[in-house]
Amino acid sequence: MRTRPCCRVGCSRRAQFTLTFDYGDKMAALGPLSYRAEPHSYDLCQFHAEKTSVPAGWLLIKPTPLGQPPVPPTAG
Ligand SMILES: [Zn+2]
């Protein structure tokens, strides 16, 4: 299995998650490490994945094993 380092400055842990941004829908999705680095995606270690936050108005989707169950988008 291919490994890449966490993309955070000063962090030398192994990346375990990939954070992908969808700028059109103002959505950020955290998922298992992707097979290859993609544009607009960031590799993160578990520590930084758990600390990930998104700008106000953005939706952050996390895989369930990482923390709490995903919060469903509020209707209306
Ligand atoms: Zn890290």
Side-chain angles (χ1 to χ4, degrees):
M1 181 169 168
R2 174 180 305 225
T3 60
R4 294 194 297 273
C6 176
C7 72
R8 296 289 185 192
V9 176
C11 180
S12 59
R13 295 180 185 89
R14 187 165 58 87
Q16 293 183 276
F17 300 93
T18 295
L19 181 65
T20 311
F21 287 99
D22 184 336
Y23 292 94
D25 291 333
K26 288 190 174 183
M27 240 168 51
L30 197 54
L33 188 67
S34 62
Y35 284 103
R36 61 196 180 97
E38 306 276 355
H40 305 304
S41 76
Y42 301 87
D43 299 327
L44 297 172
C45 65
Q46 173 131 24
F47 176 78
H48 282 118
E50 286 174 353
K51 291 176 74 77
T52 295
S53 62
V54 292
W58 279 60
L59 179 67
L60 175 62
I61 298 169
K62 291 184 178 186
T64 45
L66 191 61
Q68 299 88 354
V71 179
T74 47

Coordinates of all heavy atoms in Angstrom, one line a residue:
M1 N 0.8 -1.2 0.0 CA 0.0 0.0 0.0 C 0.9 1.2 0.0 O 1.9 1.3 0.7 CB -0.9 0.0 1.2 CG -1.8 1.2 1.3 SD -3.1 1.0 2.6 CE -3.7 2.7 2.6
R2 N 0.5 2.2 -0.8 CA 1.2 3.4 -0.9 C 1.0 4.3 0.3 O -0.1 4.4 0.8 CB 0.7 4.1 -2.2 CG 1.3 5.4 -2.5 CD 0.7 5.9 -3.8 NE 0.9 4.9 -4.9 CZ 1.3 5.2 -6.1 NH1 1.5 6.5 -6.4 NH2 1.5 4.3 -7.1
T3 N 2.0 5.0 0.7 CA 1.9 5.9 1.8 C 2.4 7.3 1.5 O 3.3 7.4 0.7 CB 2.6 5.4 3.1 OG1 4.0 5.3 2.8 CG2 2.1 4.0 3.5
R4 N 1.8 8.2 2.0 CA 2.2 9.6 1.8 C 2.2 10.3 3.2 O 1.4 9.9 4.1 CB 1.2 10.3 0.9 CG 1.3 9.8 -0.5 CD 0.6 10.7 -1.5 NE -0.8 10.9 -1.2 CZ -1.8 10.1 -1.7 NH1 -1.5 9.1 -2.5 NH2 -3.0 10.3 -1.4
P5 N 3.0 11.3 3.3 CA 3.0 12.0 4.6 C 1.8 13.0 4.7 O 1.3 13.4 3.7 CB 4.3 12.8 4.6 CG 4.6 13.0 3.1 CD 4.0 11.8 2.4
C6 N 1.5 13.3 6.0 CA 0.5 14.3 6.2 C 0.9 15.6 5.6 O 2.1 16.0 5.6 CB 0.3 14.5 7.7 SG -0.8 15.8 8.2
C7 N 0.0 16.4 5.0 CA 0.4 17.6 4.3 C 0.5 18.8 5.2 O 0.9 19.9 4.7 CB -0.6 17.9 3.2 SG -2.2 18.5 3.8
R8 N 0.2 18.7 6.5 CA 0.3 19.8 7.4 C 1.8 20.1 7.6 O 2.6 19.2 7.8 CB -0.4 19.5 8.7 CG -1.9 19.3 8.6 CD -2.6 20.6 8.3 NE -4.0 20.4 8.4 CZ -4.9 21.3 7.9 NH1 -4.5 22.4 7.4 NH2 -6.2 21.0 8.0
V9 N 2.1 21.4 7.7 CA 3.5 21.9 7.9 C 3.9 21.4 9.2 O 3.3 21.5 10.2 CB 3.6 23.4 7.8 CG1 5.0 23.9 8.1 CG2 3.1 23.9 6.4
G10 N 5.1 20.8 9.2 CA 5.7 20.4 10.5 C 5.2 19.0 11.0 O 5.6 18.6 12.1
C11 N 4.3 18.4 10.3 CA 3.8 17.1 10.7 C 4.4 16.0 9.9 O 4.4 16.1 8.6 CB 2.3 17.1 10.5 SG 1.5 15.5 11.0
S12 N 5.0 15.0 10.5 CA 5.7 14.0 9.8 C 4.9 12.6 9.9 O 5.5 11.6 9.6 CB 7.1 13.8 10.3 OG 7.1 13.6 11.7
R13 N 3.7 12.7 10.4 CA 2.9 11.5 10.5 C 2.5 11.0 9.2 O 2.4 11.7 8.2 CB 1.7 11.7 11.4 CG 2.0 12.0 12.8 CD 0.6 12.2 13.6 NE 0.8 12.7 14.9 CZ 0.9 13.9 15.3 NH1 0.8 14.9 14.4 NH2 1.0 14.3 16.5
R14 N 2.2 9.7 9.1 CA 1.7 9.1 7.9 C 0.2 9.5 7.6 O -0.6 9.5 8.5 CB 1.8 7.6 8.0 CG 1.5 6.9 6.7 CD 2.0 5.4 6.8 NE 1.4 4.7 7.9 CZ 0.3 4.1 7.8 NH1 -0.4 4.0 6.7 NH2 -0.2 3.4 8.8
A15 N -0.1 9.9 6.4 CA -1.4 10.3 6.1 C -2.3 9.1 6.1 O -2.0 8.0 5.6 CB -1.5 11.0 4.7
Q16 N -3.5 9.2 6.7 CA -4.5 8.1 6.7 C -5.8 8.5 6.1 O -6.7 7.7 5.8 CB -4.7 7.7 8.1 CG -3.5 7.0 8.8 CD -3.8 6.5 10.2 OE1 -3.7 7.3 11.1 NE2 -4.1 5.3 10.3
F17 N -6.0 9.8 5.8 CA -7.2 10.3 5.3 C -6.9 11.3 4.2 O -5.8 11.9 4.1 CB -8.0 11.0 6.4 CG -8.4 10.1 7.5 CD1 -7.6 10.0 8.6 CD2 -9.5 9.3 7.4 CE1 -7.9 9.1 9.7 CE2 -9.8 8.4 8.5 CZ -9.0 8.3 9.6
T18 N -7.9 11.5 3.3 CA -7.7 12.5 2.3 C -8.9 13.5 2.4 O -10.1 13.0 2.4 CB -7.7 11.9 0.8 OG1 -6.5 11.1 0.7 CG2 -7.7 13.0 -0.2
L19 N -8.6 14.7 2.4 CA -9.6 15.8 2.5 C -9.8 16.4 1.1 O -8.8 16.8 0.5 CB -9.2 16.8 3.5 CG -10.2 18.0 3.8 CD1 -11.5 17.5 4.4 CD2 -9.6 19.0 4.7
T20 N -11.0 16.3 0.6 CA -11.3 16.8 -0.7 C -12.3 18.0 -0.6 O -13.3 17.9 0.1 CB -11.9 15.7 -1.6 OG1 -11.1 14.5 -1.5 CG2 -11.9 16.1 -3.0
F21 N -12.0 19.0 -1.4 CA -12.9 20.2 -1.4 C -13.7 20.3 -2.7 O -13.2 20.0 -3.7 CB -12.1 21.5 -1.3 CG -11.5 21.7 0.1 CD1 -10.2 21.3 0.4 CD2 -12.3 22.2 1.1 CE1 -9.6 21.5 1.6 CE2 -11.7 22.4 2.4 CZ -10.4 22.0 2.7
D22 N -15.0 20.5 -2.5 CA -15.8 20.8 -3.6 C -16.2 22.3 -3.5 O -17.2 22.6 -2.8 CB -17.0 19.9 -3.6 CG -17.9 20.1 -4.9 OD1 -17.9 21.2 -5.5 OD2 -18.6 19.1 -5.2
Y23 N -15.5 23.1 -4.2 CA -15.8 24.5 -4.1 C -17.1 25.0 -4.6 O -17.7 25.9 -4.1 CB -14.6 25.3 -4.8 CG -13.3 25.1 -4.1 CD1 -12.4 24.2 -4.5 CD2 -12.9 25.9 -3.0 CE1 -11.2 24.0 -3.9 CE2 -11.7 25.7 -2.4 CZ -10.9 24.8 -2.8 OH -9.7 24.6 -2.2
G24 N -17.6 24.3 -5.6 CA -18.9 24.6 -6.1 C -20.1 24.5 -5.1 O -20.9 25.3 -4.9
D25 N -20.0 23.3 -4.4 CA -21.1 23.0 -3.4 C -20.7 23.4 -2.0 O -21.4 23.1 -1.0 CB -21.4 21.5 -3.4 CG -22.1 21.1 -4.7 OD1 -22.7 22.0 -5.3 OD2 -21.9 20.0 -5.2
K26 N -19.5 24.0 -1.8 CA -19.1 24.4 -0.5 C -19.1 23.2 0.5 O -19.7 23.2 1.5 CB -19.9 25.6 0.1 CG -19.6 26.9 -0.6 CD -20.3 28.0 0.2 CE -19.9 29.3 -0.4 NZ -20.5 30.5 0.3
M27 N -18.5 22.1 0.0 CA -18.5 20.9 0.8 C -17.0 20.4 0.9 O -16.3 20.5 -0.1 CB -19.3 19.9 0.0 CG -20.5 19.3 0.8 SD -21.6 18.4 -0.3 CE -20.4 17.3 -1.1
A28 N -16.7 19.9 2.0 CA -15.4 19.2 2.2 C -15.7 17.8 2.7 O -16.5 17.6 3.6 CB -14.6 20.0 3.2
A29 N -15.0 16.8 2.1 CA -15.3 15.4 2.4 C -14.0 14.8 2.9 O -12.9 14.9 2.2 CB -15.8 14.7 1.2
L30 N -14.0 14.2 4.0 CA -12.9 13.5 4.6 C -13.1 12.0 4.4 O -14.2 11.5 4.8 CB -12.8 13.8 6.1 CG -11.5 13.6 6.8 CD1 -10.3 14.3 6.1 CD2 -11.7 14.1 8.2
G31 N -12.2 11.4 3.8 CA -12.4 9.9 3.5 C -11.1 9.2 3.6 O -10.0 9.8 4.0
P32 N -11.1 7.9 3.3 CA -9.9 7.1 3.4 C -8.8 7.7 2.4 O -9.2 8.3 1.4 CB -10.3 5.7 2.9 CG -11.8 5.7 3.1 CD -12.3 7.1 3.0
L33 N -7.6 7.5 2.7 CA -6.5 8.0 1.8 C -6.7 7.6 0.4 O -7.0 6.4 0.1 CB -5.2 7.4 2.4 CG -3.9 8.0 1.7 CD1 -3.8 9.5 2.1 CD2 -2.7 7.3 2.1
S34 N -6.7 8.5 -0.5 CA -6.9 8.2 -1.9 C -5.7 7.6 -2.5 O -4.6 7.7 -1.9 CB -7.2 9.5 -2.7 OG -6.1 10.4 -2.6
Y35 N -5.9 6.9 -3.6 CA -4.7 6.1 -4.1 C -3.7 7.0 -4.7 O -2.5 6.7 -4.7 CB -5.2 5.1 -5.2 CG -5.9 3.9 -4.6 CD1 -7.3 3.8 -4.6 CD2 -5.1 3.0 -4.0 CE1 -7.8 2.7 -4.0 CE2 -5.7 1.9 -3.4 CZ -7.1 1.7 -3.4 OH -7.6 0.6 -2.8
R36 N -4.1 8.2 -5.2 CA -3.1 9.1 -5.7 C -3.5 10.5 -5.3 O -4.7 10.8 -5.1 CB -2.9 9.0 -7.2 CG -4.1 9.3 -8.0 CD -4.0 8.7 -9.4 NE -5.2 9.0 -10.2 CZ -5.3 10.1 -11.0 NH1 -4.3 10.9 -11.1 NH2 -6.4 10.3 -11.6
A37 N -2.5 11.4 -5.2 CA -2.8 12.8 -4.9 C -3.6 13.4 -6.0 O -3.3 13.3 -7.1 CB -1.5 13.5 -4.6
E38 N -4.7 14.1 -5.6 CA -5.5 14.8 -6.6 C -5.5 16.3 -6.3 O -5.2 16.7 -5.2 CB -7.0 14.3 -6.4 CG -7.2 12.9 -6.4 CD -7.4 12.3 -7.8 OE1 -7.4 13.2 -8.7 OE2 -7.5 11.1 -8.0
P39 N -5.7 17.1 -7.3 CA -5.8 18.5 -7.1 C -6.9 18.8 -6.1 O -7.9 18.1 -6.1 CB -6.1 19.1 -8.5 CG -6.0 18.0 -9.5 CD -6.1 16.7 -8.7
H40 N -6.8 19.8 -5.3 CA -7.8 20.2 -4.4 C -8.0 19.1 -3.3 O -9.1 19.1 -2.7 CB -9.2 20.5 -5.0 CG -9.1 21.5 -6.1 ND1 -8.5 22.8 -5.9 CD2 -9.4 21.5 -7.4 CE1 -8.6 23.5 -7.0 NE2 -9.0 22.7 -8.0
S41 N -7.1 18.3 -3.1 CA -7.2 17.3 -2.0 C -6.0 17.3 -1.2 O -4.9 17.7 -1.6 CB -7.4 15.9 -2.6 OG -6.2 15.4 -3.1
Y42 N -6.1 17.0 0.1 CA -5.1 17.1 1.1 C -5.0 15.9 1.9 O -6.0 15.4 2.4 CB -5.3 18.3 2.0 CG -5.4 19.6 1.2 CD1 -6.6 20.0 0.7 CD2 -4.3 20.4 1.0 CE1 -6.7 21.2 0.0 CE2 -4.3 21.5 0.3 CZ -5.5 22.0 -0.3 OH -5.6 23.1 -1.0
D43 N -3.8 15.3 2.0 CA -3.6 14.1 2.8 C -3.4 14.5 4.3 O -2.6 15.4 4.5 CB -2.4 13.3 2.3 CG -2.6 12.9 0.8 OD1 -3.8 12.6 0.5 OD2 -1.6 12.8 0.1
L44 N -4.1 13.8 5.1 CA -4.0 14.2 6.6 C -3.8 12.9 7.4 O -4.3 11.9 7.1 CB -5.3 14.9 7.0 CG -5.6 16.2 6.4 CD1 -7.0 16.7 6.8 CD2 -4.6 17.3 6.7
C45 N -3.0 13.1 8.5 CA -2.9 12.0 9.5 C -4.2 12.0 10.3 O -5.0 12.9 10.2 CB -1.7 12.3 10.3 SG -1.8 13.7 11.4
Q46 N -4.3 11.0 11.1 CA -5.5 10.9 12.0 C -5.7 12.1 12.9 O -6.8 12.7 13.0 CB -5.4 9.6 12.8 CG -6.6 9.6 13.8 CD -7.3 8.2 13.8 OE1 -6.7 7.2 13.4 NE2 -8.5 8.2 14.2
F47 N -4.6 12.6 13.5 CA -4.6 13.7 14.4 C -5.2 14.9 13.7 O -6.1 15.6 14.1 CB -3.2 14.0 14.9 CG -3.1 15.2 15.8 CD1 -3.5 15.2 17.1 CD2 -2.6 16.4 15.2 CE1 -3.4 16.3 17.9 CE2 -2.5 17.5 16.0 CZ -2.9 17.5 17.4
H48 N -4.6 15.3 12.5 CA -5.1 16.4 11.8 C -6.4 16.3 11.1 O -7.2 17.2 11.0 CB -4.0 16.9 10.8 CG -2.9 17.6 11.4 ND1 -1.6 17.1 11.4 CD2 -2.9 18.7 12.2 CE1 -0.8 18.0 12.1 NE2 -1.6 18.9 12.6
A49 N -6.8 15.0 10.8 CA -8.1 14.8 10.2 C -9.2 15.1 11.3 O -10.2 15.7 11.0 CB -8.2 13.3 9.8
E50 N -8.9 14.7 12.5 CA -9.8 14.9 13.6 C -10.0 16.4 13.9 O -11.0 16.9 14.4 CB -9.4 14.2 14.8 CG -9.7 12.7 14.7 CD -9.2 11.9 15.9 OE1 -8.5 12.4 16.7 OE2 -9.5 10.7 15.9
K51 N -8.9 17.2 13.6 CA -9.0 18.6 13.9 C -9.5 19.4 12.8 O -9.5 20.7 12.9 CB -7.5 19.1 14.3 CG -7.1 18.5 15.7 CD -5.7 18.9 16.0 CE -5.5 20.4 16.4 NZ -6.0 20.6 17.8
T52 N -9.8 18.8 11.7 CA -10.2 19.5 10.5 C -11.5 20.3 10.7 O -12.4 19.8 11.3 CB -10.4 18.5 9.3 OG1 -9.2 17.9 9.0 CG2 -10.9 19.2 8.1
S53 N -11.4 21.5 10.3 CA -12.7 22.3 10.3 C -12.8 23.0 9.0 O -11.8 23.1 8.2 CB -12.6 23.3 11.5 OG -11.6 24.2 11.3
V54 N -14.0 23.5 8.7 CA -14.2 24.1 7.4 C -14.8 25.5 7.6 O -15.3 25.8 8.7 CB -15.2 23.3 6.5 CG1 -14.6 22.0 6.1 CG2 -16.5 23.1 7.3
P55 N -14.6 26.4 6.6 CA -15.2 27.8 6.8 C -16.7 27.8 7.1 O -17.4 26.8 6.8 CB -14.8 28.4 5.5 CG -13.8 27.6 4.8 CD -14.0 26.2 5.3
A56 N -17.1 28.9 7.7 CA -18.6 29.0 8.0 C -19.4 28.9 6.7 O -19.0 29.4 5.6 CB -18.8 30.3 8.6
G57 N -20.4 28.1 6.7 CA -21.3 27.9 5.6 C -20.9 26.7 4.8 O -21.6 26.4 3.8
W58 N -19.8 26.1 5.1 CA -19.4 24.9 4.5 C -19.8 23.6 5.2 O -20.0 23.7 6.4 CB -17.8 24.8 4.4 CG -17.3 25.7 3.2 CD1 -17.4 27.0 3.1 CD2 -16.5 25.2 2.1 NE1 -16.8 27.4 1.9 CE2 -16.2 26.3 1.3 CE3 -16.0 23.9 1.7 CZ2 -15.4 26.2 0.2 CZ3 -15.2 23.8 0.6 CH2 -15.0 25.0 -0.2
L59 N -20.0 22.6 4.5 CA -20.4 21.3 5.1 C -19.2 20.4 5.1 O -18.5 20.2 4.1 CB -21.5 20.7 4.3 CG -22.0 19.3 4.8 CD1 -22.7 19.5 6.1 CD2 -23.0 18.8 3.8
L60 N -18.9 19.8 6.3 CA -17.8 18.8 6.3 C -18.3 17.4 6.5 O -19.1 17.2 7.5 CB -16.9 19.2 7.5 CG -15.7 18.2 7.8 CD1 -14.8 18.1 6.6 CD2 -14.9 18.6 9.0
I61 N -18.0 16.6 5.6 CA -18.5 15.2 5.7 C -17.3 14.3 6.2 O -16.2 14.3 5.6 CB -18.9 14.7 4.3 CG1 -20.1 15.6 3.9 CG2 -19.4 13.2 4.4 CD1 -20.5 15.4 2.4
K62 N -17.5 13.6 7.3 CA -16.5 12.8 7.8 C -16.9 11.3 7.8 O -18.1 11.0 7.9 CB -16.2 13.1 9.3 CG -15.5 14.5 9.5 CD -15.2 14.6 10.9 CE -14.5 16.0 11.2 NZ -14.0 16.1 12.6
P63 N -16.0 10.4 7.6 CA -16.4 9.0 7.7 C -16.8 8.7 9.2 O -16.2 9.2 10.1 CB -15.1 8.2 7.3 CG -14.0 9.2 7.6 CD -14.6 10.6 7.4
T64 N -17.7 7.8 9.4 CA -18.2 7.5 10.7 C -17.2 7.0 11.7 O -17.3 7.3 12.9 CB -19.5 6.6 10.7 OG1 -19.2 5.6 9.8 CG2 -20.7 7.4 10.2
P65 N -16.3 6.1 11.3 CA -15.3 5.6 12.3 C -14.5 6.7 12.9 O -13.9 6.5 14.0 CB -14.5 4.6 11.5 CG -15.2 4.4 10.2 CD -16.0 5.6 10.0
L66 N -14.4 7.8 12.3 CA -13.5 8.9 12.8 C -14.0 9.5 14.0 O -13.2 9.9 14.9 CB -13.3 9.9 11.7 CG -12.2 10.9 11.8 CD1 -10.8 10.2 11.9 CD2 -12.2 11.9 10.7
G67 N -15.2 9.7 14.2 CA -15.8 10.4 15.3 C -17.2 10.2 15.5 O -17.7 9.0 15.4
Q68 N -18.0 11.3 15.6 CA -19.4 11.1 15.7 C -20.0 10.8 14.4 O -19.4 11.0 13.3 CB -20.0 12.5 16.2 CG -19.5 12.9 17.6 CD -18.2 13.7 17.4 OE1 -17.7 13.9 16.3 NE2 -17.7 14.2 18.5
P69 N -21.2 10.3 14.4 CA -21.9 10.0 13.1 C -22.1 11.3 12.4 O -22.2 12.4 13.0 CB -23.3 9.4 13.6 CG -23.2 9.1 15.0 CD -22.0 9.8 15.6
P70 N -22.1 11.3 11.1 CA -22.3 12.5 10.3 C -23.6 13.2 10.6 O -24.6 12.5 10.7 CB -22.2 12.0 8.8 CG -22.5 10.6 8.9 CD -22.0 10.1 10.2
V71 N -23.6 14.4 10.7 CA -24.8 15.2 10.9 C -25.5 15.4 9.6 O -24.9 15.9 8.7 CB -24.5 16.6 11.5 CG1 -25.7 17.4 11.8 CG2 -23.7 16.4 12.8
P72 N -26.8 15.0 9.5 CA -27.5 15.1 8.3 C -27.7 16.6 8.0 O -27.9 17.4 8.9 CB -28.8 14.4 8.5 CG -29.0 14.3 10.0 CD -27.6 14.3 10.6
P73 N -27.7 17.0 6.8 CA -27.9 18.4 6.4 C -29.3 18.8 6.9 O -30.3 18.1 6.7 CB -27.8 18.5 4.9 CG -27.4 17.1 4.5 CD -27.5 16.2 5.6
T74 N -29.4 20.0 7.5 CA -30.7 20.5 8.0 C -31.6 20.9 6.8 O -31.1 21.6 5.9 CB -30.6 21.6 8.9 OG1 -29.7 22.6 8.4 CG2 -30.0 21.2 10.3
A75 N -32.8 20.4 6.8 CA -33.7 20.7 5.7 C -34.2 22.1 5.8 O -34.4 22.6 6.9 CB -34.8 19.7 5.6
G76 N -34.5 22.7 4.7 CA -35.1 24.0 4.7 C -34.1 25.1 5.1 O -34.5 26.2 5.4
Ligands
ZN1 ZN -0.7 15.6 10.4

